[in-house]
Amino acid sequence: MSDHSATLEKVEVAKPELIDIDDGADEFELARMGYKQELKRELGLLQNFGVSFSIISVITGIPSLFLYGLNTGGPAVMVWGWVIVACATMLVGLAMAEICSTHPTSGGPYFWAAMLSDPGNAPLASWITGWFNLLGQVAVTTGISFGCANFLSTLCTFDTSFTPTSRTTMGVYAAILVSQGLINTFGVYLLKHLNNISVWWHAVGTTSLVIAILARAPSHQSAGFVFRTFIDNTGISSSEGWGARASHAYVCVIGILMAQYTLTGFDASAHMTEETHNAAMAGSIGIIMAIGVSAVLGWFLVLGLLFSIQNLDNTIASPTGQPVAQIFLDTVGNHGAIVLMVIVIGAMYFCGTFSITSNSRMMFAFARDGGIPGHTFFRKVDSKRGTPVRTVWLACALSFLLGLPSLGSAVAFSAATSIATIGLYISYAIPIALRVFYRKRFVRGPFHLGAFSIPIAVAAVTWIAFIAIVFLLPQVNPVNSQTLNYAVVAVGIVIVYSVGFWILSARKWFVGPVRQTSVE
């Protein structure tokens, strides 16, 4: 018998701890789902919203992939793609919010999959969903913190002779992850206050940045340029782009990655529900608010940056390596650009910090149910700080490993963002689809969509199926070892591992969410 099986049997035969309903409605609801209150419940609606809002972080996702957007469709795809993606993402968020209201637990999508599935298939649904969610969580942290390292390296070139390399950027990336891990380990009591600061930093910082570059720009691009200009620079080394080799439509669909990657990570509100008061409503509202506010603020940022471009060719070929940094230099000058870069880097740092917070909670919940190797080690919560310290550092370590291909790949960053988007959205789609298939078994929570529930869920799953295919496709022509979109490799590894390991071993001992307690 495996160690996994032995551990789970011990859990099952142990007498459940009884929870008195007087301990509070949230603890009672958590006990109904079979879990003890192990994490400190100190967050309100604003903080729950703030975690997702900070992880979506339009001022992180848009600048990080702005060069990709300019080369892959240009301004027209960036502007109108954002609108389409924002509407589709809101449908996904609404469908998830309804489920979150019924099952407000840190496990999020993988727990939902088990609860919404046929009991006989619940362990498999939970297992597959959990591994895709874990992949997406790790890749999101990689994309965020590696983007922060890129921008910090770029800032260091201002008024200096410093020239960043892939190795120096990797060193900066490692240092950023370590510092964010330390904050999540020792500064857990500060996270609530850092969350409030982060919300204001993102909202006020983004607004101030856009106003500054528009007000100081020597000239502005025309509305025709911003709303109608299509660019296909997907060909490298004198090769034709995908528009000529395939079609402009191909370029348009792969060009929406900037928008879809940015509007990702709102499941953080679900992962934080065990630390949130009135979780059954706050988690759901947090998801919807984060998407809505980010969609409006993000479009404002995209438009502001595009209207402020002074010379398109110089911006794309900027010696800084970052078109957004070049826009800052061209509009507000060197000293002003430093201030704006600090705003962006600060937002990226907050974003990465809270991404690790959310990531660690998901891993803790999955380990609590025996879903990851070494689960008996990683399921422990630090009794002094009330936080899963071990999964905090697991999240940092895995994110660093996923960033290593950047040392030898020209498209590693965009591939990491594709992995994040695909992994997370597939983990969103599975419970939403199960909610449709087993609609008669679904019990509504305080937040529900009424008659619109099924149509919205079907539309959400359809959109996710579309983007899961699109973001596996090649992004640059020609395709070689330097330009391969290795998202297909990472996603393939997760599929082979999760399905293969399930067939060989996990089906014998993984039972899905394990009840720790019962309600009296």
Side-chain angles (χ1 to χ4, degrees), residues 314-326:
N314 291 345
T315 299
I316 292 177
S318 172
T320 67
Q322 298 291 345
V324 170
Q326 191 62 48

Side-chain angles (χ1 to χ4, degrees), residues 135-141 143 261 264 415-425:
L135 170 69
Q137 290 270 346
V138 171
V140 160
T141 302
Y261 164 68
T264 297
T417 59
S418 292
I419 294 169
T421 307
I422 294 168
L424 284 179
Y425 274 90

Side-chain angles (χ1 to χ4, degrees), residues 328-385:
F328 293 164
L329 290 168
D330 292 342
T331 55
V332 298
N334 197 68
H335 295 298
I338 292 174
V339 174
L340 297 185
M341 286 290 284
V342 169
I343 292 175
V344 172
I345 293 169
M348 290 178 167
Y349 190 82
F350 279 127
C351 180
T353 299
F354 288 108
S355 179
I356 291 173
T357 305
S358 173
N359 196 341
S360 63
R361 271 53 175 183
M362 182 272 158
M363 290 181 176
F364 155 74
F366 204 26
R368 180 173 60 185
D369 292 327
I372 62 176
H375 61 91
T376 55
F377 176 81
F378 290 115
R379 65 182 295 173
K380 301 296 183 182
V381 173
D382 185 285
S383 58
K384 180 179 179 181
R385 300 178 179 87

